[in-house]
Amino acid sequence: MLKQIRSWLNVTFGIPIVGFLRTWILNVIIGNVPWAMIRNFYYRKVCRISIGKNTEIWSGVRFAGGAMDKISIGDYCTIPHYTFFVAGDSIVIGNNVVFGHGVELYTSDHDPDDPYFSRRDAPITIHDNVWIGSSAIILKGVTIGEGAVVAAGSVVTRDVEAFNIVGGNPAKLIRERGTRTFK
Ligand SMILES: CC(C)(COP(=O)(O)OP(=O)(O)OC[C@H]1O[C@@H](n2cnc3c(N)ncnc32)[C@H](O)[C@@H]1OP(=O)(O)O)[C@@H](O)C(=O)NCCC(=O)NCCS
């Protein structure tokens, strides 16, 4: 019976039920558990996400994509509510990285020139000491250099040089940071 339901869902809606359930449990239940220890255990042991020491992943963070085991978050990072990781490829975050609320990272999109909208995946890399403002969107293939700042609400489509502040849609250079020192 279960096999038939599974096959019907797959054929009718294209939903791979195991993956769907895994994502549902992760985002609807685990992600909202008010104990970080439980959330982190599930992220590390079930999703195989690498999380460094003293890194906080707040409740309400969501994950999607088949490459969750390629998500790596360094030490002393803050990933607050409503961050959304779409991991069709790797997402590598260095140390001392701070996100504002509601940052979204998309490693995947679809080729608009392909009649079948074939999927395209590329990694996202965020180096040490970066601050990403609230509601920024980081698109596939982007590398954000050390100590850079992404202004709130930006859409980052291209690499960001180290210690630059970028903002807008698409994100452009605002200015260079006034410091290169971190404590
Ligand atoms: C980028 C930011 C840090 C301000 O940096 P700043 O250098 O002090 O910026 P200023 O206010 O002097 O503005 C400099 C220029 O950047 C522009 N700018 C500022 N914020 C911007 C944004 N979010 N998007 C696009 N452009 C922005 C300003 O309009 C200004 O442009 P102008 O020179 O053409 O007038 C701030 O605007 C920001 O985005 N903060 C993030 C807030 C947030 O997410 N908080 C959550 C806490 S973790």
Side-chain angles (χ1 to χ4, degrees):
M1 182 65 176
L2 197 65
K3 211 171 163 187
Q4 281 164 322
I5 295 173
R6 194 168 151 173
S7 148
W8 178 77
L9 280 169
N10 236 331
V11 171
T12 316
F13 300 108
I15 297 173
I17 192 69
V18 174
F20 172 77
L21 278 179
R22 198 187 54 171
T23 308
W24 189 85
I25 290 168
L26 170 65
N27 292 320
V28 177
I29 300 177
I30 299 297
N32 293 306
V33 167
W35 295 283
M37 210 173 70
I38 294 175
R39 294 196 304 275
N40 286 345
F41 178 84
Y42 194 91
Y43 294 152
R44 286 189 172 113
K45 301 296 175 197
V46 179
C47 306
R48 301 288 199 205
I49 295 170
S50 165
I51 303 169
K53 63 174 195 287
N54 296 310
T55 279
E56 291 180 18
I57 302 180
W58 298 7
S59 62
V61 171
R62 291 172 301 140
F63 297 88
M68 273 183 234
D69 57 339
K70 290 189 186 162
I71 299 175
S72 165
I73 306 170
D75 301 337
Y76 298 95
C77 295
T78 305
I79 311 292
H81 307 299
Y82 315 124
T83 302
F84 186 29
F85 290 89
V86 177
D89 204 325
S90 67
I91 298 177
V92 177
I93 297 172
N95 301 320
N96 305 311
V97 172
V98 177
F99 285 6
H101 294 79
V103 170
E104 300 187 356
L105 303 103
Y106 295 96
T107 60
S108 308
D109 67 7
H110 299 276
D111 183 352
D113 298 324
D114 180 346
Y116 299 101
F117 285 119
S118 57
R119 206 175 96 179
R120 306 181 295 189
D121 302 309
I124 290 173
T125 307
I126 299 172
H127 287 280
D128 296 348
N129 304 308
V130 165
W131 172 31
I132 301 193
S134 295
S135 299
I137 294 177
I138 316 297
L139 297 183
K140 73 175 200 312
V142 162
T143 296
I144 302 184
E146 192 196 345
V149 173
V150 175
S154 305
V155 178
V156 184
T157 59
R158 300 276 181 260
D159 291 354
V160 177
E161 296 283 317
F163 302 102
N164 280 355
I165 303 175
V166 299
N169 179 7
K172 302 267 188 231
L173 179 67
I174 293 177
R175 63 180 177 83
E176 282 188 30
R177 281 189 65 190
T179 180
R180 296 187 175 212
T181 305
F182 302 98
K183 290 193 176 176

